[in-house]
Amino acid sequence: MPKVIASILDSLPAYRERIQQVREIILANAVMFGEIPSPTFHESGRVRFMMDRFTEGGCQNISTDEVGNAVGIVPGKKSKGHIILSAHLDTPFATSVDHTVTVQTDHLVGPGILDNSLGAAVLASLPAILDQLGIQFEHNLILLGTTRSLGSGDIEGMRFFLKNNKLPIDAGVIVEGGTLGRLSYTSLGMSRGVIDCKIPRGYDFSRFGAAGGIAILNRVITKMLALPTPREPATQLILGSMHSGTSFNTIAKTGTLQYELRSEQVGLVGELTDEIESILSEIRSSTGVELSLKEVARRHNGGLDYKHPLLVACREIMKALNVKPGVAPSTGELAALIEQDIPGVTLGLTRGQNRHMFDEQVEIEPIFTGLAQLIAVLQAMDGGICHEEA
Amino acid sequence: MKKLESWIEHNTFHHSQFYDQLELLKQKEKTGLTISLCIPTLNEEATIGKEIVIFRSELMERYPLIDEIAVIDSGSTDKTLEVAASFGADTYFAGDILPSQGHKRGKGENLWKAIHQLKGDIICYVDADIKNIHPRFCYGLVAPLLYREEMQYVKAFYDRPLAFSQGIRPSGGGRVTEILVRPLFSLFYPELTGLVQPLSGEYAVRRKVLERLPFPIGYGVETSHIMDVYHEWGLEAFGQTDLDQRVHRNQETLSLGKMSFGILQSFLGRMQKMGMEGQLPDMTNTLRQFVAKDQQYEQVLYDIVEEERPPMIEIPEYREKMGY
């Protein structure tokens, strides 16, 4: 076991108890973040609220940037370096959706509460939590509420911050509402694409025999599904959505298909994307329709090794809290840390259900275990776990 | 009506004026006043948890502006009290407070008994059915009382949008206010028409005023308070704060009819007391409405009795407790 964490493990049960003293602050923040609509590219309401919370929590250097991230720094004792704690602020829900959050004795319900209002709330509550535990880190702790994470946002908020800030960053933790036990330390190769199909004006249906945008996209899909996607290393093609046509009796003139490719094999996502380009080219030439592919997000494979001391520490901390680690690669902000060679993990805070549905839920009780885990991982990073020999 | 214009200018606030809660806390400490938050309930398990969590976090733990949060319940059959207690509110069944005075069922009863049960020099009443609860619903009402000594009674008013997504329809501009109360005030108490929403369920009041007010236990409580405070302390005693939007359950027109009937009873009763009744007919307690089944129409009779509690200061137990 890494030396740094031996004393931390002993403190874990006490952490869990003492964090409960600020339960209402954490829950109130979750409710208030949850009720501010924050679709990707329109996160300014949550950013403003988060910066207000940072101000009230005594953070320093509170600021926002060109892509709208919310940043605040909890100063360390020695200012010897920086650790990032980050949560994304955007949700897949439109502003017009009813964002009311309901509080019951053991759970909260509301759109986006799991992904990721709770994560945002934890960031905003962190100064109060550290106060409650009497903890001051050696490192400066950068609290970073990121924008433009989901969908075509392509984790731009985190990427922008890492590319443009001048601070030396030693390590990072990404927090997500769910699920407690989540331990992500690798990034999947991933590509999100939008295929647009357009039937040109004056198109001769009798000559080409195709029946409009829907039929064309159907041909594209059939060929995409025939692409080789190996089980090992795990590779997956997700057909996310398709829109085409307007009525019963009018041939669809346009169509749009959105998909995501992900793979654990280095370089495979790129190869498959080239294959999709070839499919489109072939159908384009045989049918005369306009077909285009736009890649809106891309991640590269990478991450920490299983035996990395940070991961050993994370597993020990989870074990001490009786939490079973669930290892899953990430396509979120962790990928941006990995791209910059910054050691980091993504952790979940509690159990929840109905992710990305209007009645998303989080359980209250496990949050305190999730927070004890988070504080312990930050302490391990602060103690230099990332620099220990594997 | 220059007095009214001046009152509107000087006694109408927006909650954003009191956003700096640290300043508010300093002002509270300067005045030495204590503040209680009272939430009257009847089957509010869906919304009560959030109200308690938000108020405790923002107004007790971050900035200890309020000294106690109490839920006073009329006899909920759902988990209202359990949920409220689990997040740290003091919970009471109205029937257990001042048992010598008996128990009447109604919101006004809870508000009245709160005066005896709670400790604060200021009591802020906030309804439990607010879906978009925010600390402004309390500090926006309490703040004017902390800064303006002559002010006694601060009411909330809201922006009421007519179009709203997801099928929630706010109460469409305060129908009872606009159809009943405002015309009555315009006729008999023009100065009171400056109150944007005289019927809003959120208000903060000094104890020394509350303990001297009779409390209709039903629908008429807000209207009668306004008339009594106006009669005793004058227009300057009132303040009102814009709390922006309030999202809550929408009421059916028939329910609003009952409410109006109760308000009318209180209003006319007060006019009689104040010698303003003229040649008013005897009042009955029966409201008649219609229900339709296919092509048949039936008359439904509702007995709505506006019972009334005496000023708390006349209750022997209260006088003894307060050392009067």
Side-chain angles (χ1 to χ4, degrees):
Chain A
M1 183 194 304
K3 280 178 266 173
V4 175
I5 66 160
S7 64
I8 299 172
L9 294 183
D10 295 338
S11 310
L12 283 173
Y15 284 179
R16 188 160 43 189
E17 292 304 311
R18 285 165 61 191
I19 293 169
Q20 299 211 29
Q21 302 298 313
V22 290
R23 177 180 66 162
E24 274 70 32
I25 288 181
I26 297 162
L27 297 183
N29 276 333
V31 169
M32 286 191 276
F33 271 109
E35 296 193 340
I36 302 171
S38 195
T40 308
F41 298 108
H42 301 280
E43 304 94 343
S44 58
R46 286 194 180 189
V47 168
R48 198 167 49 246
F49 180 60
M50 183 165 267
M51 293 205 296
D52 286 346
R53 287 305 192 200
F54 288 164
T55 305
E56 291 163 1
C59 292
Q60 295 181 356
N61 302 81
I62 299 156
S63 62
T64 184
D65 55 30
E66 287 164 51
V67 295
N69 290 313
V71 190
I73 294 182
V74 180
K77 278 190 273 195
K78 291 190 179 163
S79 298
K80 66 180 187 183
H82 296 78
I83 296 169
I84 286 187
L85 175 62
S86 174
H88 72 84
L89 300 179
D90 53 344
T91 76
F93 297 100
T95 303
S96 57
V97 167
D98 179 2
H99 277 69
T100 301
V101 177
T102 307
V103 179
Q104 292 299 318
T105 45
D106 56 356
H107 64 276
L108 311 182
V109 186
I113 193 75
L114 177 67
D115 184 21
N116 188 24
S117 306
L118 181 62
V122 162
L123 233 66
S125 310
L126 206 80
I129 294 169
L130 294 176
D131 255 9
Q132 178 66 27
L133 297 176
I135 291 174
Q136 190 184 5
F137 294 122
E138 305 275 317
H139 288 71
N140 293 320
L141 182 64
I142 301 172
L143 301 178
L144 176 64
T146 55
T147 58
R148 306 185 188 184
S149 170
L150 304 172
S152 56
D154 197 17
I155 56 172
E156 190 184 351
M158 177 62 100
R159 280 185 167 141
F160 181 90
F161 182 81
L162 293 178
K163 191 174 167 195
N164 294 287
N165 90 89
K166 306 282 185 262
L167 306 170
I169 295 167
D170 289 355
V173 179
I174 317 292
V175 280
E176 294 271 359
T179 296
L180 180 60
R182 173 176 179 177
L183 180 59
S184 298
Y185 51 88
T186 56
S187 165
L188 274 181
M190 185 276 276
S191 168
R192 286 188 190 129
V194 180
I195 295 173
D196 275 318
C197 167
K198 197 173 167 191
I199 312 295
R201 199 178 278 263
Y203 184 76
D204 183 355
F205 286 99
S206 62
R207 182 179 159 209
F208 292 103
I214 293 172
I216 296 290
L217 285 180
N218 183 42
R219 284 176 67 175
V220 172
I221 289 168
T222 305
K223 285 179 179 287
M224 283 173 76
L225 290 175
L227 289 173
T229 48
R231 260 190 203 179
E232 277 301 325
T235 304
Q236 200 179 10
L237 168 64
I238 300 167
L239 297 173
S241 74
M242 193 172 106
H243 302 281
S244 185
T246 54
S247 70
F248 287 93
N249 58 357
T250 309
I251 294 174
K253 302 291 192 306
T254 60
T256 302
L257 171 70
Q258 298 191 103
Y259 71 88
E260 182 174 302
L261 269 172
R262 35 172 73 183
S263 177
E264 288 178 355
Q265 184 177 320
V266 178
L268 186 57
V269 161
E271 287 170 26
L272 290 170
T273 303
D274 290 345
E275 294 279 350
I276 293 171
E277 282 282 15
S278 302
I279 292 169
L280 299 187
S281 174
E282 181 201 329
I283 297 175
R284 220 170 9 233
S285 61
S286 65
T287 61
V289 300
E290 295 170 19
L291 267 175
S292 63
L293 168 62
K294 186 179 172 198
E295 186 177 62
V296 294
R298 174 62 84 96
R299 312 274 191 278
H300 299 284
N301 299 79
L304 300 180
D305 184 79
Y306 180 82
K307 291 180 189 161
H308 190 284
L310 172 61
L311 303 180
V312 176
C314 287
R315 287 191 290 267
E316 288 292 337
I317 289 164
M318 287 182 178
K319 189 174 156 196
L321 285 165
N322 210 15
V323 172
K324 193 176 168 198
V327 175
S330 169
T331 56
E333 270 73 10
L334 183 67
L337 289 180
I338 290 168
E339 283 167 13
Q340 301 289 328
D341 285 328
I342 298 169
V345 288
T346 300
L347 300 174
L349 292 163
T350 185
R351 292 188 292 269
Q353 52 186 322
N354 303 342
R355 186 170 179 267
H356 293 180
M357 295 168 76
F358 295 131
D359 57 348
E360 239 177 81
Q361 281 191 25
V362 292
E363 290 180 32
I364 294 173
E365 192 55 33
I367 293 173
F368 308 106
T369 302
L371 284 170
Q373 156 209 250
L374 172 64
I375 297 295
V377 170
L378 289 172
Q379 279 187 308
M381 288 175 164
D382 192 45
I385 193 85
C386 296
H387 303 298
E388 287 201 6
E389 295 281 317
Chain B
M1 297 304 278
K2 278 207 166 158
K3 189 179 171 191
L4 178 57
E5 284 164 23
S6 163
W7 178 88
I8 291 172
E9 189 184 339
H10 295 107
N11 287 29
T12 301
F13 309 94
H14 189 272
H15 68 85
S16 59
Q17 290 171 253
F18 312 114
Y19 178 77
D20 189 341
Q21 290 169 62
L22 193 59
E23 274 305 307
L24 214 51
L25 185 59
K26 285 181 191 163
Q27 181 65 19
K28 181 201 168 191
E29 282 164 2
K30 211 186 285 180
T31 62
L33 293 169
T34 53
I35 301 169
S36 300
L37 173 65
C38 171
I39 305 175
T41 55
L42 179 64
N43 294 330
E44 309 283 3
E45 68 175 5
T47 47
I48 190 69
K50 184 162 75 174
E51 285 207 20
I52 304 295
V53 162
I54 297 273
F55 285 134
R56 265 192 69 94
S57 163
E58 305 305 300
L59 302 178
M60 287 186 96
E61 291 179 17
R62 278 183 189 281
Y63 303 103
L65 186 68
I66 53 178
D67 301 278
E68 64 179 333
I69 299 178
V71 169
I72 302 199
D73 190 74
S74 305
S76 291
T77 50
D78 65 5
K79 290 183 184 168
T80 299
L81 290 181
E82 186 189 329
V83 175
S86 75
F87 293 110
D90 301 327
T91 54
Y92 305 97
F93 169 54
D96 294 337
I97 302 169
L98 267 180
S100 63
Q101 298 298 312
H103 174 52
K104 296 174 191 290
R105 213 172 146 97
K107 180 184 160 192
E109 175 83 353
N110 299 11
L111 307 182
W112 183 72
K113 288 196 166 170
I115 307 168
H116 189 268
Q117 187 63 44
L118 306 191
K119 306 178 195 85
D121 302 312
I122 292 170
I123 297 181
C124 180
Y125 296 108
V126 177
D127 278 353
D129 66 342
I130 306 173
K131 286 183 79 179
N132 61 328
I133 195 69
H134 183 277
R136 68 175 186 268
F137 285 79
C138 180
Y139 71 68
L141 300 175
V142 166
L145 297 176
L146 295 178
Y147 287 105
R148 298 267 294 271
E149 211 174 328
E150 78 282 7
M151 209 166 273
Q152 310 293 336
Y153 196 110
V154 181
K155 289 217 70 123
F157 69 99
Y158 304 96
D159 167 32
R160 289 169 178 258
L162 288 171
F164 208 75
S165 65
Q166 299 295 311
I168 304 164
R169 202 164 74 91
S171 63
R175 286 167 285 175
V176 177
T177 296
E178 298 305 326
I179 292 169
L180 178 69
V181 178
R182 193 173 301 283
L184 282 175
F185 280 174
S186 300
L187 275 172
F188 298 104
Y189 299 94
E191 284 189 346
L192 291 176
T193 57
L195 289 164
V196 179
Q197 276 157 22
L199 300 182
S200 66
E202 286 70 45
Y203 37 97
V205 195
R206 294 188 199 277
R207 173 177 290 274
K208 64 181 186 187
V209 169
L210 280 175
E211 65 190 11
R212 285 170 169 78
L213 291 176
F215 271 66
I217 62 159
Y219 298 112
V221 62
E222 281 87 13
T223 314
S224 67
H225 274 183
I226 288 169
M227 294 168 76
D228 290 341
V229 170
Y230 179 62
H231 191 251
E232 197 64 35
W233 288 274
L235 186 62
E236 285 306 312
F238 289 105
Q240 61 180 350
T241 305
D242 182 351
L243 299 181
D244 284 343
Q245 206 182 92
R246 184 192 198 279
V247 182
H248 59 102
R249 286 187 301 258
N250 194 32
Q251 297 211 51
E252 290 176 3
T253 306
L254 289 185
S255 305
L256 298 183
K258 292 183 202 170
M259 187 194 233
S260 302
F261 192 65
I263 289 170
L264 260 181
Q265 285 186 44
S266 288
F267 186 88
L268 295 175
R270 275 193 165 49
M271 287 191 69
Q272 266 176 340
K273 270 192 196 167
M274 294 173 190
M276 295 175 66
E277 77 278 24
Q279 293 300 310
L280 294 175
D282 286 340
M283 290 191 285
T284 78
N285 294 323
T286 307
L287 172 67
R288 292 161 193 270
Q289 293 181 331
F290 283 93
V291 291
K293 281 182 193 165
D294 299 326
Q295 295 299 311
Q296 289 189 318
Y297 294 89
E298 272 179 28
Q299 203 171 37
V300 182
L301 307 186
Y302 292 99
D303 278 322
I304 300 175
V305 182
E306 284 292 313
E307 288 186 272
E308 191 161 308
R309 289 295 199 178
M312 182 60 84
I313 204 162
E314 291 175 19
I315 304 298
E317 289 94 325
Y318 179 75
R319 296 186 67 85
E320 188 186 334
K321 181 178 175 183
M322 301 305 288
Y324 293 145

